[in-house]
């Protein structure tokens, strides 16, 4: 009686070579499959399917994966079992048994990313792995003015890294916002869209920071959509500030 | 024209083998002396004197050191120079030129430590290196009731690790407090005293958590002062939750 599990993960990306399995690398998929296969004790190898990759150093608050498990076990039992075997930089925060046609990657209809930027002349030692750092002056009002340009359906060819294998660069961003976290003296970006290209969020954040600094005109996104030229949006904000916050599915698709 | 510098440091203790220099170990003293001696370029080796040691994995928000520098340079120039050369897990947060009889260790009259405890069944990946974790039930009111017992002048022999070389175990704690950090779902302890024994704060915190859990009577500190027996306060809270927050000096001693 094989059951399909939907598992939501939080991980500190610092010591992972990204999400996806690669030979001789410590990846999130690798440590997760190791724990699951130890629990299963069967000859048949259980593979984990993620909603998408995250790069080396990128964090997750709510990455979603699914896999099929061949023994009867409750969702709570799976959550506890996995957390007892996973390393401390990866935690299962939620676990559900879902229908066999649920697929973490193919049935998702959106993702939300968060990007944290720390300020100040020097990098705070406790933030170096968990924020991007920007030491130059920023006018956050300018960034706020630019945010509506980020939303909508656009060809994001100017915002995709060269490693991308996507056929189309057209995506839709439903919500793009920026706010000040005064307690932590940080600027936080959030992007909710139907899908994101390779490095898209990090390139958009770097461009938005240049807008805030006055290096670019406020509405430069509109020009960048037109030119479809990666060399026009040159910078990529560091992986350390990026968090995959949530992956969205239809509630119906999760109902047994 | 040698000048004495008082430097206040913040560091993430995770990747340091503690503060004090040891052969073939990456310590805070080592990276700091390396940066200072690179700036000085003289044959004579410049040694850094810390207010005291911190153990491997213990953090600092305000560790204080002093050293003598043989070239004319402003306090601001020293701060910027050091931060440009130090690794990102160690930051100079303040720098002053002080009289030649200022001594980070001998002229201090107090220190403040902070201890952060995270809650919940599982360890949050982003807190594993920055808090101690306690998953058992806690009645914070019991801990609050015990805190006045921690204050005062006592023989803390029951709260000192075996590696201690202190001749006397009598110390004075001026202030001991505990509070809930509801934003982060943490319990925070603060201890301000004239000096602390080896592992004293971590042993006291472990004992206070056992009081909160009901494993020990609320006023067990009073008994522990009497018995002077380390085996009666067995646990040591992990290094990851401990922060050297502030080192106190007389303002007069810092005046040029």
């Amino acid at each position: 009686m094989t059951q399909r599990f939907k598992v939501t993960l939080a991980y500190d990306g610092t010591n992972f070579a990204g999400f996806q399995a690669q030979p001789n690398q410590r990846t999130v998929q690798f440590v997760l499959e190791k724990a699951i296969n130890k629990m299963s004790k069967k000859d048949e190898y259980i593979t984990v399917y993620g909603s998408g990759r995250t790069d080396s150093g990128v964090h997750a608050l709510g990455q979603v994966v699914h896999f099929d498990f061949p023994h009867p076990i409750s969702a709570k039992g799976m959550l506890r079992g996995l957390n007892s075997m996973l390393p401390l930089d990866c935690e299962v925060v939620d676990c559900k048994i879902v229908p066999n046609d649920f697929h973490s990657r193919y049935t998702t209809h959106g993702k939300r990313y968060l990007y944290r930027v720390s300020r100040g002349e020097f990098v705070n030692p406790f933030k170096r792995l968990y924020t991007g750092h920007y030491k130059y002056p920023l006018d956050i009002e300018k960034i706020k003015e630019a945010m509506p340009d980020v939303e909508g359906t656009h060809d994001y060819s100017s915002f995709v890294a060269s490693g991308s294998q996507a056929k189309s660069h057209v995506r839709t961003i439903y919500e793009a916002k920026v706010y000040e976290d005064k307690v932590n003296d940080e600027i936080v970006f959030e992007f909710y869209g139907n899908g994101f290209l390779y490095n898209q969020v990090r390139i958009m954040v770097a461009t938005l920071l240049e807008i805030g600094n006055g290096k670019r005109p406020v509405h430069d996104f509109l020009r960048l959509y037109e030119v479809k030229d990666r060399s026009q949006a040159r910078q990529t904000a560091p992986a350390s500030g990026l968090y995959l916050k949530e992956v969205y599915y239809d509630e119906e698709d999760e109902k047994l």
Side-chain angles (χ1 to χ4, degrees), chain A residues 3 5 7 35-36 39-40 67 69 71-86 92 94-97:
Chain A
Q3 286 176 316
F5 284 86
V7 161
I36 292 164
M39 277 176 76
S40 142
F67 57 87
F69 197 76
H71 309 290
I73 179 172
S74 70
K76 190 148 201 177
M78 178 61 78
L79 182 142
R80 287 197 172 147
L82 286 178
N83 277 337
S84 73
M85 278 192 291
L86 283 169
V92 174
D94 191 44
C95 182
K96 274 183 187 165
I97 296 168

Side-chain angles (χ1 to χ4, degrees), chain A residues 105-167:
Chain A
R105 185 166 165 203
Y106 298 131
T107 62
T108 170
H109 55 75
K111 282 184 184 174
R112 183 180 292 271
Y113 279 96
L114 189 145
Y115 197 98
R116 287 171 58 189
V117 179
S118 58
R119 309 298 319 280
E121 186 177 355
F122 306 111
V123 179
N124 176 322
F126 298 99
K127 294 189 175 185
R128 74 195 192 285
L129 306 171
Y130 306 106
T131 60
H133 181 255
Y134 197 77
K135 68 176 173 182
Y136 305 105
L138 276 183
D139 179 350
I140 188 156
E141 294 309 320
K142 282 188 182 167
I143 303 179
K144 280 184 181 159
E145 213 183 317
M147 293 310 273
D149 299 347
V150 180
E151 294 178 349
T153 301
H154 301 284
D155 184 320
Y156 290 93
S157 294
S158 290
F159 302 94
V160 58
S162 53
S164 164
Q165 284 161 18
K167 279 171 202 153

Side-chain angles (χ1 to χ4, degrees), chain A residues 185-229:
Chain A
D185 191 21
E186 292 176 12
I187 291 174
V188 184
F189 293 90
E190 282 198 29
F191 303 95
Y192 165 41
N194 67 351
F196 293 88
L197 300 163
Y198 188 49
N199 278 0
Q200 182 182 343
V201 174
R202 292 165 56 189
I203 297 168
M204 291 195 308
V205 166
T207 304
L208 287 162
L209 291 171
E210 290 186 337
I211 288 170
N213 181 250
K215 274 188 205 139
R216 287 178 186 272
V218 168
H219 294 293
D220 208 33
F221 269 71
L222 304 180
R223 183 184 68 83
L224 290 163
Y225 293 140
E226 288 301 317
V227 295
K228 299 179 182 58
D229 176 6

